[in-house]
Amino acid sequence: MTPEPFPRGEAPFDTSGIRRDPRGVAYYTDLPSSLVEMFRAGVEANPDGEALVEIDGQRLSYRQLWDESARVAGGLVAAGVRRGDRVANVLPAGVDWVLGFLGTQLAGAVAVPVNTRFAEPEIAYVLEDSGSTLVLRPGEPLPDGEPFAADDLAPGDLAAIFYTSGTTGFPKGAMTSHENFLSNVETALRVLQFDRADGPDSRNLVSVPLFHVTGCNSQLLVQIGLRGCTVVLPTFTVQAFLRAVVDERINLLTSVPAIYALAMAHPDFARTDVGAVTRVCYGGAPIAPALVERIAAAFPNARVGNGFGLTETSSISTFLPHEWAAQHADSVGFAAPVVDLALDSVDPVSGVGELLIRGPNIVQGYWNKPDATASTFVDGWLHSGDLAGVDEHGLVRIVDRVKDMINRGGENVYSVEVENALAGAPGVAEAAVVAVPDEIMGEKVGAVVVPAPGGAIDVEKVV
């Protein structure tokens, strides 16, 4: 049975220039053909504008970023890398990581960003499973050769493979096309309501890993699409984060809730001028409504918003805009402009079911995993593994992972809801809820909590 998409509800996003193909999938009609074309357009429009900054490292204009990336591409080609070959990137966050990624695109090859937090067996698996022709490693010079740029890439060409960090087994490689990347860039520009004419003035601080889709797809590539500047913080410390916001004139922040909580709790925050910050985005983890209120108060000139997505959706699937953020802080927002949502196996009482997602941002499947691809990507819909509800406004609420739901004596307990409640308790910085075996109830609710910096948890107040 074909899923029926939910109505878009009150989603406030720009939906102009969108059409549907014969399968019913929505797509943007006026995108570049590839990341290379988008990158070249940025260079031509803003050649001398600052494109990339590594804190305590290099600073590159758009012209310099293109020239150095093209030399990396030429070096890859000279080393035997051909169209469609995989190039693994195990470099730390910084200018070299970006040059390696963009150089791979200019070579017409497929980037494989490697999660450097993986254990050694997982890294070895990624390199072997991807069949990478060449590996960019720390301490080794980047490939260098005569400048090269593949200008005939197509939207459907494979551009990258991001390996997901699964809870069981080895990671799965999400095959991301140029169209997937470009659709996400356009979505980000629309949900964040950027005035594209002001794009070159945009300065975004990347404080999350570039090997994740949030850092790469929704920050680095969005800034290139805007012709703005990406400022990379190679190693996170609260002091470095706050100093970069001021010194680099940052006006866009995108990070996980924990980083904002740490920043606002730091003694230096009160002395940090955040007046230039006009957008603060969060996502990647549940967030307590109280923390949303604190973020909005701490960044008084900023629009705040919550983004939700997966590696398999090339980053953004839904977005909660500023006007809805305070009163609906438990929501991840509305469907993105080209995204359709549906629910599978809906509980008739709660209205909760598995979230299905469709759009041009959905990756092509899992590399070398036909069975996992067939079970996860069904008739154009991604089975996300997230349990969610959609209300009458079109707002989505994620309540759990399918595998994480706790069955307490026949009653479904959604761990995310309990985590949200705990995260707002006095003295609690983070919380994780798990099922604990119980002879009578089958499962009971267990929680692991982390105290706020410099504080202690009052157990009686928490429970």
Side-chain angles (χ1 to χ4, degrees):
M1 183 175 178
T2 302
E4 185 66 28
F6 274 91
R8 300 196 63 78
E10 299 174 45
F13 311 131
D14 177 11
T15 56
S16 63
I18 294 175
R19 296 181 182 174
R20 291 187 180 270
D21 66 16
R23 302 167 297 163
V25 178
Y27 64 97
Y28 298 113
T29 57
D30 193 23
L31 295 180
S33 62
S34 69
L35 290 179
V36 174
E37 183 178 323
M38 182 184 78
F39 185 16
R40 187 185 288 279
V43 175
E44 291 175 350
N46 191 25
D48 299 321
E50 198 163 53
L52 181 64
V53 174
E54 179 180 330
I55 298 297
D56 298 326
Q58 286 181 273
R59 312 179 80 93
L60 299 178
S61 68
Y62 268 91
R63 191 195 314 274
Q64 290 169 327
L65 183 60
W66 175 275
D67 291 345
E68 294 199 26
S69 298
R71 291 197 65 87
V72 171
L76 291 173
V77 171
V81 173
R82 297 294 177 257
R83 180 75 61 92
D85 283 354
R86 277 74 62 206
V87 176
N89 188 338
V90 197
L91 298 169
V95 166
D96 281 357
W97 192 99
V98 175
L99 293 175
F101 180 88
L102 294 176
T104 301
Q105 301 307 315
L106 291 174
V110 178
V112 181
V114 179
N115 185 335
T116 54
R117 297 172 182 171
F118 279 165
E120 284 301 324
E122 291 177 305
I123 292 177
Y125 173 82
V126 168
L127 300 182
E128 180 180 358
D129 183 68
S130 64
S132 292
T133 301
L134 191 145
V135 181
L136 305 177
R137 299 182 185 275
E140 298 179 3
L142 289 171
D144 186 34
E146 290 298 314
F148 182 89
D151 286 313
D152 58 344
L153 298 170
D157 287 345
L158 186 61
I161 303 174
F162 287 88
Y163 277 79
T164 63
S165 49
T167 55
T168 59
F170 282 105
K172 299 187 293 290
M175 299 188 292
T176 309
S177 70
H178 287 274
E179 182 180 30
N180 295 152
F181 277 125
L182 294 163
S183 296
N184 184 73
V185 169
E186 181 64 21
T187 286
L189 297 181
R190 295 191 184 205
V191 300
L192 291 171
Q193 299 181 24
F194 275 110
D195 183 339
R196 298 173 202 236
D198 297 332
D201 295 326
S202 178
R203 298 183 67 84
N204 176 54
L205 178 61
V206 179
S207 57
V208 297
L210 284 167
F211 56 69
H212 280 167
V213 293
T214 300
C216 179
N217 303 18
S218 288
Q219 296 191 65
L220 169 66
L221 296 180
V222 170
Q223 288 304 300
I224 293 176
L226 269 175
R227 293 84 190 257
C229 181
T230 301
V231 179
V232 179
L233 184 62
T235 303
F236 177 81
T237 67
V238 178
Q239 295 94 328
F241 177 86
L242 295 176
R243 186 171 61 251
V245 168
V246 176
D247 292 350
E248 295 297 333
R249 310 180 308 285
I250 299 300
N251 49 37
L252 169 61
L253 291 171
T254 301
S255 201
V256 295
I259 284 182
Y260 295 122
L262 288 170
M264 292 185 297
H266 196 276
D268 289 348
F269 187 81
R271 300 186 294 273
T272 302
D273 182 1
V274 297
V277 179
T278 56
R279 289 177 175 84
V280 174
C281 301
Y282 47 89
I287 187 167
L291 181 54
V292 176
E293 294 175 4
R294 289 175 56 205
I295 291 172
F299 296 90
N301 297 332
R303 292 177 58 84
V304 301
N306 186 8
F308 165 76
L310 307 165
T311 304
E312 291 87 346
T313 66
S314 310
S315 196
I316 303 170
S317 296
T318 68
F319 192 82
L320 181 69
H322 179 80
E323 291 76 13
W324 295 75
Q327 292 188 346
H328 300 275
D330 60 339
S331 169
V332 294
F334 303 97
V338 287
V339 168
D340 291 320
L341 303 175
L343 296 178
D344 186 43
S345 302
V346 178
D347 183 315
V349 177
S350 66
V352 169
E354 183 182 9
L355 185 64
L356 308 184
I357 308 170
R358 180 175 72 174
N361 56 322
I362 303 300
V363 301
Q364 298 175 336
Y366 295 124
W367 180 262
N368 284 341
K369 296 285 187 296
D371 292 342
T373 296
S375 62
T376 304
F377 304 87
V378 182
D379 296 330
W381 290 89
L382 168 71
H383 286 244
S384 70
D386 286 305
L387 291 171
V390 182
D391 70 12
E392 68 277 10
H393 303 292
L395 290 169
V396 180
R397 286 172 174 81
I398 306 295
V399 299
D400 216 339
R401 293 288 294 170
V402 171
K403 295 179 180 179
D404 292 342
M405 186 178 66
I406 301 167
N407 188 325
R408 182 183 180 274
E411 176 187 5
N412 291 339
V413 178
Y414 301 119
S415 61
V416 171
E417 291 184 345
V418 182
E419 287 167 354
N420 281 340
L422 288 172
V428 175
E430 295 184 81
V433 169
V434 295
V436 177
D438 183 78
E439 291 183 3
I440 297 175
M441 304 298 288
E443 291 180 335
K444 294 175 70 174
V445 179
V448 180
V449 294
V450 178
I457 295 174
D458 186 330
V459 176
E460 291 186 2
K461 289 184 178 180
V462 169
V463 298

